[in-house]
Amino acid sequence: MNKNLRSLALSAMLAIAPVGSALAADNLTLRIGTEGAYPPFNYFSADGQLGGFDVEIGKALCAEMQARCSFVAQDWDGIIPALKAGKYDVIIASMFITEKRKKQVHFTNPYQKAAMTFVVPKDSQQSDFSPEAMAGKTIGAQGSSTQADYLTALYPDSDVRLYPTQDAVNLDLVSGRLDAQVGDMIPMLDWTRGSEDGSCCKLAGEPITDPAFVGEGVGMAVRQEDDALRQKLNKALDTIVANGTYKAINDKFFAINILTLK
């Protein structure tokens, strides 16, 4: 190849390279991990498809980022280890942002406000939910959750029972095997007001908002080395909140705005 031809070939390669890199950057493909057992946030529909608030928010973010996305169901107690192992790229599963979890993953800005609550049978006369008042009582929560951390840390004299899913906690409360449970406020509000089995029960006591347990809100989790992805998700989240997409999804599932709890 003569000198002129070599120069032309090199120039063509340099011209093509940036275009190829830009295309690679724009062709974002994401795998989204969620639980699939936490309605109305994430669940399997009758036809076996993942649905719920988390899933629709994930789809809206993917549309905004022009990303090709797929969803992966994962049991809650293994959801962070599976992210770190590369099973998926981001967790969108109503996960509280806590200092304990921030040691393992990085979080986006909150896409929900966080609060927990006690839930008791409708005929319960319990009004004091201090550790002293609940001594000897049987209280349930989903295992590997902030509710579990809250109960095991502050209620040593209660019979704290932990379950693999929120549905299993609900079932034991309905069946009379629990005096109370602690759950996330929004799904517990939805369960008690919007489902037949949940009509047995009511929210009780003041909302639990201790930042040591509910953290800074609910965020999406990525691997600690994936800060560029975290920033993309934050930007997309800001956009769907600003353009009304977030509210449209919120209003399909909830009577209040769960970004503000108002």
Side-chain angles (χ1 to χ4, degrees), residues 219-254:
M220 296 166 270
V222 300
R223 289 179 287 273
Q224 291 182 333
E225 63 268 24
D226 288 344
D227 195 60
L229 173 58
R230 185 183 67 84
Q231 292 182 41
K232 285 179 183 288
L233 289 164
N234 279 336
K235 184 177 179 182
L237 177 60
D238 288 345
T239 300
I240 69 169
V241 169
N243 67 19
T245 301
Y246 180 98
K247 186 176 187 304
I249 296 171
N250 178 97
D251 292 353
K252 289 174 63 175
F253 294 94
F254 310 110

PDB file of all heavy atoms in Angstrom, residues 219-254:
ATOM      1  N   GLY A 219     -34.704   3.571  46.743  1.00  0.00           N
ATOM      2  CA  GLY A 219     -33.910   3.843  45.557  1.00  0.00           C
ATOM      3  C   GLY A 219     -33.667   2.611  44.712  1.00  0.00           C
ATOM      4  O   GLY A 219     -34.012   1.487  45.091  1.00  0.00           O
ATOM      5  N   MET A 220     -33.071   2.833  43.561  1.00  0.00           N
ATOM      6  CA  MET A 220     -32.615   1.750  42.690  1.00  0.00           C
ATOM      7  C   MET A 220     -31.155   1.481  43.006  1.00  0.00           C
ATOM      8  O   MET A 220     -30.380   2.415  43.215  1.00  0.00           O
ATOM      9  CB  MET A 220     -32.782   2.152  41.223  1.00  0.00           C
ATOM     10  CG  MET A 220     -34.222   2.367  40.818  1.00  0.00           C
ATOM     11  SD  MET A 220     -34.401   3.219  39.224  1.00  0.00           S
ATOM     12  CE  MET A 220     -34.444   4.939  39.763  1.00  0.00           C
ATOM     13  N   ALA A 221     -30.772   0.218  43.037  1.00  0.00           N
ATOM     14  CA  ALA A 221     -29.405  -0.154  43.418  1.00  0.00           C
ATOM     15  C   ALA A 221     -28.626  -0.641  42.204  1.00  0.00           C
ATOM     16  O   ALA A 221     -29.140  -1.401  41.381  1.00  0.00           O
ATOM     17  CB  ALA A 221     -29.436  -1.245  44.485  1.00  0.00           C
ATOM     18  N   VAL A 222     -27.377  -0.189  42.111  1.00  0.00           N
ATOM     19  CA  VAL A 222     -26.452  -0.673  41.077  1.00  0.00           C
ATOM     20  C   VAL A 222     -25.162  -1.104  41.754  1.00  0.00           C
ATOM     21  O   VAL A 222     -24.915  -0.801  42.919  1.00  0.00           O
ATOM     22  CB  VAL A 222     -26.150   0.415  40.025  1.00  0.00           C
ATOM     23  CG1 VAL A 222     -27.427   0.864  39.322  1.00  0.00           C
ATOM     24  CG2 VAL A 222     -25.432   1.613  40.650  1.00  0.00           C
ATOM     25  N   ARG A 223     -24.328  -1.829  41.010  1.00  0.00           N
ATOM     26  CA  ARG A 223     -23.019  -2.197  41.556  1.00  0.00           C
ATOM     27  C   ARG A 223     -22.189  -0.932  41.810  1.00  0.00           C
ATOM     28  O   ARG A 223     -22.354   0.081  41.116  1.00  0.00           O
ATOM     29  CB  ARG A 223     -22.291  -3.140  40.590  1.00  0.00           C
ATOM     30  CG  ARG A 223     -22.908  -4.540  40.542  1.00  0.00           C
ATOM     31  CD  ARG A 223     -22.163  -5.436  39.560  1.00  0.00           C
ATOM     32  NE  ARG A 223     -22.449  -5.076  38.182  1.00  0.00           N
ATOM     33  CZ  ARG A 223     -23.486  -5.541  37.479  1.00  0.00           C
ATOM     34  NH1 ARG A 223     -24.347  -6.387  38.032  1.00  0.00           N
ATOM     35  NH2 ARG A 223     -23.674  -5.157  36.231  1.00  0.00           N
ATOM     36  N   GLN A 224     -21.309  -0.980  42.781  1.00  0.00           N
ATOM     37  CA  GLN A 224     -20.569   0.211  43.196  1.00  0.00           C
ATOM     38  C   GLN A 224     -19.701   0.783  42.086  1.00  0.00           C
ATOM     39  O   GLN A 224     -19.442   1.979  42.063  1.00  0.00           O
ATOM     40  CB  GLN A 224     -19.729  -0.117  44.429  1.00  0.00           C
ATOM     41  CG  GLN A 224     -20.583  -0.366  45.670  1.00  0.00           C
ATOM     42  CD  GLN A 224     -19.760  -0.649  46.908  1.00  0.00           C
ATOM     43  OE1 GLN A 224     -18.644  -1.141  46.820  1.00  0.00           O
ATOM     44  NE2 GLN A 224     -20.312  -0.346  48.069  1.00  0.00           N
ATOM     45  N   GLU A 225     -19.297  -0.057  41.149  1.00  0.00           N
ATOM     46  CA  GLU A 225     -18.458   0.426  40.055  1.00  0.00           C
ATOM     47  C   GLU A 225     -19.269   1.012  38.901  1.00  0.00           C
ATOM     48  O   GLU A 225     -18.692   1.562  37.950  1.00  0.00           O
ATOM     49  CB  GLU A 225     -17.560  -0.707  39.525  1.00  0.00           C
ATOM     50  CG  GLU A 225     -18.309  -1.891  38.925  1.00  0.00           C
ATOM     51  CD  GLU A 225     -18.609  -2.989  39.929  1.00  0.00           C
ATOM     52  OE1 GLU A 225     -18.664  -2.683  41.142  1.00  0.00           O
ATOM     53  OE2 GLU A 225     -18.770  -4.144  39.498  1.00  0.00           O
ATOM     54  N   ASP A 226     -20.586   0.944  38.976  1.00  0.00           N
ATOM     55  CA  ASP A 226     -21.443   1.369  37.859  1.00  0.00           C
ATOM     56  C   ASP A 226     -22.020   2.763  38.083  1.00  0.00           C
ATOM     57  O   ASP A 226     -23.230   2.990  37.942  1.00  0.00           O
ATOM     58  CB  ASP A 226     -22.568   0.356  37.636  1.00  0.00           C
ATOM     59  CG  ASP A 226     -22.070  -0.942  37.036  1.00  0.00           C
ATOM     60  OD1 ASP A 226     -20.935  -0.961  36.521  1.00  0.00           O
ATOM     61  OD2 ASP A 226     -22.807  -1.943  37.087  1.00  0.00           O
ATOM     62  N   ASP A 227     -21.165   3.728  38.393  1.00  0.00           N
ATOM     63  CA  ASP A 227     -21.662   5.068  38.694  1.00  0.00           C
ATOM     64  C   ASP A 227     -22.248   5.751  37.459  1.00  0.00           C
ATOM     65  O   ASP A 227     -23.188   6.547  37.575  1.00  0.00           O
ATOM     66  CB  ASP A 227     -20.550   5.932  39.283  1.00  0.00           C
ATOM     67  CG  ASP A 227     -21.105   7.185  39.937  1.00  0.00           C
ATOM     68  OD1 ASP A 227     -21.902   7.050  40.891  1.00  0.00           O
ATOM     69  OD2 ASP A 227     -20.786   8.299  39.479  1.00  0.00           O
ATOM     70  N   ALA A 228     -21.708   5.452  36.287  1.00  0.00           N
ATOM     71  CA  ALA A 228     -22.243   6.058  35.061  1.00  0.00           C
ATOM     72  C   ALA A 228     -23.698   5.635  34.861  1.00  0.00           C
ATOM     73  O   ALA A 228     -24.548   6.451  34.467  1.00  0.00           O
ATOM     74  CB  ALA A 228     -21.394   5.658  33.855  1.00  0.00           C
ATOM     75  N   LEU A 229     -23.997   4.382  35.134  1.00  0.00           N
ATOM     76  CA  LEU A 229     -25.379   3.905  35.029  1.00  0.00           C
ATOM     77  C   LEU A 229     -26.259   4.589  36.071  1.00  0.00           C
ATOM     78  O   LEU A 229     -27.391   4.988  35.777  1.00  0.00           O
ATOM     79  CB  LEU A 229     -25.421   2.389  35.201  1.00  0.00           C
ATOM     80  CG  LEU A 229     -26.821   1.755  35.281  1.00  0.00           C
ATOM     81  CD1 LEU A 229     -27.638   2.077  34.032  1.00  0.00           C
ATOM     82  CD2 LEU A 229     -26.712   0.245  35.485  1.00  0.00           C
ATOM     83  N   ARG A 230     -25.748   4.736  37.273  1.00  0.00           N
ATOM     84  CA  ARG A 230     -26.511   5.419  38.332  1.00  0.00           C
ATOM     85  C   ARG A 230     -26.886   6.837  37.888  1.00  0.00           C
ATOM     86  O   ARG A 230     -28.019   7.283  38.084  1.00  0.00           O
ATOM     87  CB  ARG A 230     -25.692   5.465  39.616  1.00  0.00           C
ATOM     88  CG  ARG A 230     -26.435   6.035  40.815  1.00  0.00           C
ATOM     89  CD  ARG A 230     -25.522   6.101  42.037  1.00  0.00           C
ATOM     90  NE  ARG A 230     -24.456   7.074  41.842  1.00  0.00           N
ATOM     91  CZ  ARG A 230     -24.589   8.376  42.079  1.00  0.00           C
ATOM     92  NH1 ARG A 230     -25.743   8.868  42.528  1.00  0.00           N
ATOM     93  NH2 ARG A 230     -23.590   9.190  41.878  1.00  0.00           N
ATOM     94  N   GLN A 231     -25.936   7.536  37.284  1.00  0.00           N
ATOM     95  CA  GLN A 231     -26.204   8.898  36.827  1.00  0.00           C
ATOM     96  C   GLN A 231     -27.230   8.929  35.703  1.00  0.00           C
ATOM     97  O   GLN A 231     -28.101   9.819  35.655  1.00  0.00           O
ATOM     98  CB  GLN A 231     -24.901   9.560  36.386  1.00  0.00           C
ATOM     99  CG  GLN A 231     -23.935   9.816  37.539  1.00  0.00           C
ATOM    100  CD  GLN A 231     -22.664  10.520  37.102  1.00  0.00           C
ATOM    101  OE1 GLN A 231     -22.713  11.442  36.290  1.00  0.00           O
ATOM    102  NE2 GLN A 231     -21.530  10.097  37.631  1.00  0.00           N
ATOM    103  N   LYS A 232     -27.172   7.959  34.798  1.00  0.00           N
ATOM    104  CA  LYS A 232     -28.168   7.869  33.723  1.00  0.00           C
ATOM    105  C   LYS A 232     -29.568   7.648  34.309  1.00  0.00           C
ATOM    106  O   LYS A 232     -30.549   8.254  33.871  1.00  0.00           O
ATOM    107  CB  LYS A 232     -27.818   6.729  32.766  1.00  0.00           C
ATOM    108  CG  LYS A 232     -26.668   6.990  31.805  1.00  0.00           C
ATOM    109  CD  LYS A 232     -26.418   5.766  30.936  1.00  0.00           C
ATOM    110  CE  LYS A 232     -25.233   5.968  30.017  1.00  0.00           C
ATOM    111  NZ  LYS A 232     -25.558   6.918  28.929  1.00  0.00           N
ATOM    112  N   LEU A 233     -29.654   6.769  35.294  1.00  0.00           N
ATOM    113  CA  LEU A 233     -30.942   6.494  35.924  1.00  0.00           C
ATOM    114  C   LEU A 233     -31.477   7.725  36.654  1.00  0.00           C
ATOM    115  O   LEU A 233     -32.679   8.025  36.586  1.00  0.00           O
ATOM    116  CB  LEU A 233     -30.809   5.314  36.895  1.00  0.00           C
ATOM    117  CG  LEU A 233     -30.611   3.946  36.240  1.00  0.00           C
ATOM    118  CD1 LEU A 233     -30.096   2.936  37.267  1.00  0.00           C
ATOM    119  CD2 LEU A 233     -31.910   3.440  35.619  1.00  0.00           C
ATOM    120  N   ASN A 234     -30.597   8.450  37.340  1.00  0.00           N
ATOM    121  CA  ASN A 234     -31.020   9.674  38.030  1.00  0.00           C
ATOM    122  C   ASN A 234     -31.564  10.703  37.042  1.00  0.00           C
ATOM    123  O   ASN A 234     -32.597  11.343  37.290  1.00  0.00           O
ATOM    124  CB  ASN A 234     -29.855  10.282  38.805  1.00  0.00           C
ATOM    125  CG  ASN A 234     -29.623   9.622  40.149  1.00  0.00           C
ATOM    126  OD1 ASN A 234     -30.536   9.026  40.713  1.00  0.00           O
ATOM    127  ND2 ASN A 234     -28.420   9.726  40.660  1.00  0.00           N
ATOM    128  N   LYS A 235     -30.872  10.863  35.925  1.00  0.00           N
ATOM    129  CA  LYS A 235     -31.310  11.829  34.916  1.00  0.00           C
ATOM    130  C   LYS A 235     -32.666  11.426  34.342  1.00  0.00           C
ATOM    131  O   LYS A 235     -33.559  12.263  34.178  1.00  0.00           O
ATOM    132  CB  LYS A 235     -30.267  11.927  33.805  1.00  0.00           C
ATOM    133  CG  LYS A 235     -30.590  12.971  32.745  1.00  0.00           C
ATOM    134  CD  LYS A 235     -29.489  13.067  31.706  1.00  0.00           C
ATOM    135  CE  LYS A 235     -29.838  14.099  30.638  1.00  0.00           C
ATOM    136  NZ  LYS A 235     -28.779  14.170  29.590  1.00  0.00           N
ATOM    137  N   ALA A 236     -32.825  10.144  34.041  1.00  0.00           N
ATOM    138  CA  ALA A 236     -34.101   9.664  33.498  1.00  0.00           C
ATOM    139  C   ALA A 236     -35.220   9.808  34.522  1.00  0.00           C
ATOM    140  O   ALA A 236     -36.353  10.159  34.172  1.00  0.00           O
ATOM    141  CB  ALA A 236     -33.948   8.209  33.053  1.00  0.00           C
ATOM    142  N   LEU A 237     -34.909   9.538  35.793  1.00  0.00           N
ATOM    143  CA  LEU A 237     -35.911   9.686  36.848  1.00  0.00           C
ATOM    144  C   LEU A 237     -36.371  11.136  36.953  1.00  0.00           C
ATOM    145  O   LEU A 237     -37.584  11.416  37.036  1.00  0.00           O
ATOM    146  CB  LEU A 237     -35.344   9.210  38.189  1.00  0.00           C
ATOM    147  CG  LEU A 237     -36.253   9.371  39.403  1.00  0.00           C
ATOM    148  CD1 LEU A 237     -37.557   8.591  39.232  1.00  0.00           C
ATOM    149  CD2 LEU A 237     -35.529   8.918  40.680  1.00  0.00           C
ATOM    150  N   ASP A 238     -35.437  12.078  36.944  1.00  0.00           N
ATOM    151  CA  ASP A 238     -35.801  13.494  36.989  1.00  0.00           C
ATOM    152  C   ASP A 238     -36.740  13.853  35.835  1.00  0.00           C
ATOM    153  O   ASP A 238     -37.707  14.610  36.009  1.00  0.00           O
ATOM    154  CB  ASP A 238     -34.545  14.368  36.916  1.00  0.00           C
ATOM    155  CG  ASP A 238     -33.721  14.344  38.195  1.00  0.00           C
ATOM    156  OD1 ASP A 238     -34.248  13.899  39.232  1.00  0.00           O
ATOM    157  OD2 ASP A 238     -32.550  14.760  38.145  1.00  0.00           O
ATOM    158  N   THR A 239     -36.462  13.295  34.666  1.00  0.00           N
ATOM    159  CA  THR A 239     -37.269  13.609  33.481  1.00  0.00           C
ATOM    160  C   THR A 239     -38.678  13.063  33.596  1.00  0.00           C
ATOM    161  O   THR A 239     -39.652  13.771  33.315  1.00  0.00           O
ATOM    162  CB  THR A 239     -36.594  13.059  32.210  1.00  0.00           C
ATOM    163  OG1 THR A 239     -35.295  13.659  32.068  1.00  0.00           O
ATOM    164  CG2 THR A 239     -37.423  13.370  30.971  1.00  0.00           C
ATOM    165  N   ILE A 240     -38.825  11.795  34.027  1.00  0.00           N
ATOM    166  CA  ILE A 240     -40.182  11.228  34.080  1.00  0.00           C
ATOM    167  C   ILE A 240     -41.005  11.837  35.206  1.00  0.00           C
ATOM    168  O   ILE A 240     -42.234  11.848  35.138  1.00  0.00           O
ATOM    169  CB  ILE A 240     -40.174   9.685  34.155  1.00  0.00           C
ATOM    170  CG1 ILE A 240     -39.630   9.180  35.496  1.00  0.00           C
ATOM    171  CG2 ILE A 240     -39.428   9.086  32.969  1.00  0.00           C
ATOM    172  CD1 ILE A 240     -39.858   7.684  35.708  1.00  0.00           C
ATOM    173  N   VAL A 241     -40.341  12.351  36.251  1.00  0.00           N
ATOM    174  CA  VAL A 241     -41.074  13.091  37.286  1.00  0.00           C
ATOM    175  C   VAL A 241     -41.541  14.430  36.712  1.00  0.00           C
ATOM    176  O   VAL A 241     -42.698  14.830  36.882  1.00  0.00           O
ATOM    177  CB  VAL A 241     -40.202  13.300  38.538  1.00  0.00           C
ATOM    178  CG1 VAL A 241     -40.869  14.288  39.500  1.00  0.00           C
ATOM    179  CG2 VAL A 241     -39.959  11.970  39.245  1.00  0.00           C
ATOM    180  N   ALA A 242     -40.651  15.117  36.003  1.00  0.00           N
ATOM    181  CA  ALA A 242     -40.969  16.444  35.472  1.00  0.00           C
ATOM    182  C   ALA A 242     -42.032  16.406  34.383  1.00  0.00           C
ATOM    183  O   ALA A 242     -42.868  17.319  34.287  1.00  0.00           O
ATOM    184  CB  ALA A 242     -39.696  17.104  34.935  1.00  0.00           C
ATOM    185  N   ASN A 243     -42.030  15.368  33.545  1.00  0.00           N
ATOM    186  CA  ASN A 243     -42.965  15.359  32.409  1.00  0.00           C
ATOM    187  C   ASN A 243     -44.304  14.674  32.710  1.00  0.00           C
ATOM    188  O   ASN A 243     -45.152  14.537  31.836  1.00  0.00           O
ATOM    189  CB  ASN A 243     -42.313  14.740  31.168  1.00  0.00           C
ATOM    190  CG  ASN A 243     -42.011  13.249  31.306  1.00  0.00           C
ATOM    191  OD1 ASN A 243     -42.562  12.553  32.155  1.00  0.00           O
ATOM    192  ND2 ASN A 243     -41.123  12.761  30.450  1.00  0.00           N
ATOM    193  N   GLY A 244     -44.500  14.228  33.960  1.00  0.00           N
ATOM    194  CA  GLY A 244     -45.777  13.651  34.358  1.00  0.00           C
ATOM    195  C   GLY A 244     -45.890  12.148  34.213  1.00  0.00           C
ATOM    196  O   GLY A 244     -46.893  11.559  34.635  1.00  0.00           O
ATOM    197  N   THR A 245     -44.880  11.502  33.631  1.00  0.00           N
ATOM    198  CA  THR A 245     -44.937  10.053  33.460  1.00  0.00           C
ATOM    199  C   THR A 245     -44.984   9.349  34.815  1.00  0.00           C
ATOM    200  O   THR A 245     -45.750   8.395  35.008  1.00  0.00           O
ATOM    201  CB  THR A 245     -43.722   9.558  32.650  1.00  0.00           C
ATOM    202  OG1 THR A 245     -43.725  10.206  31.379  1.00  0.00           O
ATOM    203  CG2 THR A 245     -43.768   8.057  32.456  1.00  0.00           C
ATOM    204  N   TYR A 246     -44.170   9.812  35.746  1.00  0.00           N
ATOM    205  CA  TYR A 246     -44.146   9.202  37.087  1.00  0.00           C
ATOM    206  C   TYR A 246     -45.534   9.278  37.722  1.00  0.00           C
ATOM    207  O   TYR A 246     -46.037   8.285  38.248  1.00  0.00           O
ATOM    208  CB  TYR A 246     -43.114   9.910  37.966  1.00  0.00           C
ATOM    209  CG  TYR A 246     -43.022   9.340  39.365  1.00  0.00           C
ATOM    210  CD1 TYR A 246     -42.030   8.427  39.693  1.00  0.00           C
ATOM    211  CD2 TYR A 246     -43.941   9.693  40.364  1.00  0.00           C
ATOM    212  CE1 TYR A 246     -41.947   7.886  40.970  1.00  0.00           C
ATOM    213  CE2 TYR A 246     -43.872   9.153  41.630  1.00  0.00           C
ATOM    214  CZ  TYR A 246     -42.872   8.255  41.931  1.00  0.00           C
ATOM    215  OH  TYR A 246     -42.807   7.713  43.191  1.00  0.00           O
ATOM    216  N   LYS A 247     -46.165  10.448  37.679  1.00  0.00           N
ATOM    217  CA  LYS A 247     -47.480  10.619  38.314  1.00  0.00           C
ATOM    218  C   LYS A 247     -48.527   9.717  37.658  1.00  0.00           C
ATOM    219  O   LYS A 247     -49.387   9.144  38.352  1.00  0.00           O
ATOM    220  CB  LYS A 247     -47.921  12.072  38.244  1.00  0.00           C
ATOM    221  CG  LYS A 247     -49.210  12.336  39.025  1.00  0.00           C
ATOM    222  CD  LYS A 247     -49.588  13.799  39.018  1.00  0.00           C
ATOM    223  CE  LYS A 247     -50.777  14.061  39.942  1.00  0.00           C
ATOM    224  NZ  LYS A 247     -51.954  13.241  39.634  1.00  0.00           N
ATOM    225  N   ALA A 248     -48.463   9.589  36.343  1.00  0.00           N
ATOM    226  CA  ALA A 248     -49.430   8.730  35.651  1.00  0.00           C
ATOM    227  C   ALA A 248     -49.303   7.285  36.121  1.00  0.00           C
ATOM    228  O   ALA A 248     -50.306   6.589  36.329  1.00  0.00           O
ATOM    229  CB  ALA A 248     -49.222   8.828  34.149  1.00  0.00           C
ATOM    230  N   ILE A 249     -48.075   6.815  36.314  1.00  0.00           N
ATOM    231  CA  ILE A 249     -47.855   5.455  36.815  1.00  0.00           C
ATOM    232  C   ILE A 249     -48.290   5.365  38.271  1.00  0.00           C
ATOM    233  O   ILE A 249     -48.980   4.429  38.682  1.00  0.00           O
ATOM    234  CB  ILE A 249     -46.376   5.052  36.654  1.00  0.00           C
ATOM    235  CG1 ILE A 249     -45.998   4.993  35.174  1.00  0.00           C
ATOM    236  CG2 ILE A 249     -46.109   3.705  37.321  1.00  0.00           C
ATOM    237  CD1 ILE A 249     -44.512   4.824  34.920  1.00  0.00           C
ATOM    238  N   ASN A 250     -47.889   6.340  39.075  1.00  0.00           N
ATOM    239  CA  ASN A 250     -48.261   6.378  40.487  1.00  0.00           C
ATOM    240  C   ASN A 250     -49.773   6.259  40.654  1.00  0.00           C
ATOM    241  O   ASN A 250     -50.270   5.481  41.476  1.00  0.00           O
ATOM    242  CB  ASN A 250     -47.764   7.690  41.098  1.00  0.00           C
ATOM    243  CG  ASN A 250     -48.125   7.863  42.561  1.00  0.00           C
ATOM    244  OD1 ASN A 250     -47.319   7.582  43.441  1.00  0.00           O
ATOM    245  ND2 ASN A 250     -49.321   8.332  42.844  1.00  0.00           N
ATOM    246  N   ASP A 251     -50.519   7.031  39.861  1.00  0.00           N
ATOM    247  CA  ASP A 251     -51.970   7.108  40.039  1.00  0.00           C
ATOM    248  C   ASP A 251     -52.685   5.830  39.610  1.00  0.00           C
ATOM    249  O   ASP A 251     -53.849   5.625  39.988  1.00  0.00           O
ATOM    250  CB  ASP A 251     -52.523   8.309  39.268  1.00  0.00           C
ATOM    251  CG  ASP A 251     -52.072   9.640  39.875  1.00  0.00           C
ATOM    252  OD1 ASP A 251     -51.458   9.622  40.961  1.00  0.00           O
ATOM    253  OD2 ASP A 251     -52.314  10.690  39.257  1.00  0.00           O
ATOM    254  N   LYS A 252     -52.017   4.974  38.852  1.00  0.00           N
ATOM    255  CA  LYS A 252     -52.594   3.674  38.504  1.00  0.00           C
ATOM    256  C   LYS A 252     -52.637   2.744  39.706  1.00  0.00           C
ATOM    257  O   LYS A 252     -53.471   1.832  39.779  1.00  0.00           O
ATOM    258  CB  LYS A 252     -51.784   3.009  37.382  1.00  0.00           C
ATOM    259  CG  LYS A 252     -51.939   3.648  36.039  1.00  0.00           C
ATOM    260  CD  LYS A 252     -51.000   3.036  35.028  1.00  0.00           C
ATOM    261  CE  LYS A 252     -51.295   1.561  34.783  1.00  0.00           C
ATOM    262  NZ  LYS A 252     -50.437   1.016  33.704  1.00  0.00           N
ATOM    263  N   PHE A 253     -51.729   2.970  40.663  1.00  0.00           N
ATOM    264  CA  PHE A 253     -51.575   2.047  41.775  1.00  0.00           C
ATOM    265  C   PHE A 253     -51.963   2.629  43.134  1.00  0.00           C
ATOM    266  O   PHE A 253     -52.366   1.875  44.025  1.00  0.00           O
ATOM    267  CB  PHE A 253     -50.120   1.566  41.849  1.00  0.00           C
ATOM    268  CG  PHE A 253     -49.691   0.743  40.678  1.00  0.00           C
ATOM    269  CD1 PHE A 253     -49.057   1.327  39.594  1.00  0.00           C
ATOM    270  CD2 PHE A 253     -49.937  -0.627  40.636  1.00  0.00           C
ATOM    271  CE1 PHE A 253     -48.658   0.569  38.501  1.00  0.00           C
ATOM    272  CE2 PHE A 253     -49.541  -1.393  39.550  1.00  0.00           C
ATOM    273  CZ  PHE A 253     -48.910  -0.797  38.478  1.00  0.00           C
ATOM    274  N   PHE A 254     -51.843   3.956  43.311  1.00  0.00           N
ATOM    275  CA  PHE A 254     -51.963   4.536  44.641  1.00  0.00           C
ATOM    276  C   PHE A 254     -52.860   5.769  44.640  1.00  0.00           C
ATOM    277  O   PHE A 254     -52.925   6.508  43.655  1.00  0.00           O
ATOM    278  CB  PHE A 254     -50.577   4.927  45.186  1.00  0.00           C
ATOM    279  CG  PHE A 254     -49.563   3.824  45.080  1.00  0.00           C
ATOM    280  CD1 PHE A 254     -48.510   3.914  44.187  1.00  0.00           C
ATOM    281  CD2 PHE A 254     -49.678   2.679  45.860  1.00  0.00           C
ATOM    282  CE1 PHE A 254     -47.581   2.894  44.080  1.00  0.00           C
ATOM    283  CE2 PHE A 254     -48.755   1.644  45.752  1.00  0.00           C
ATOM    284  CZ  PHE A 254     -47.703   1.758  44.860  1.00  0.00           C
TER     285      PHE A 254
END
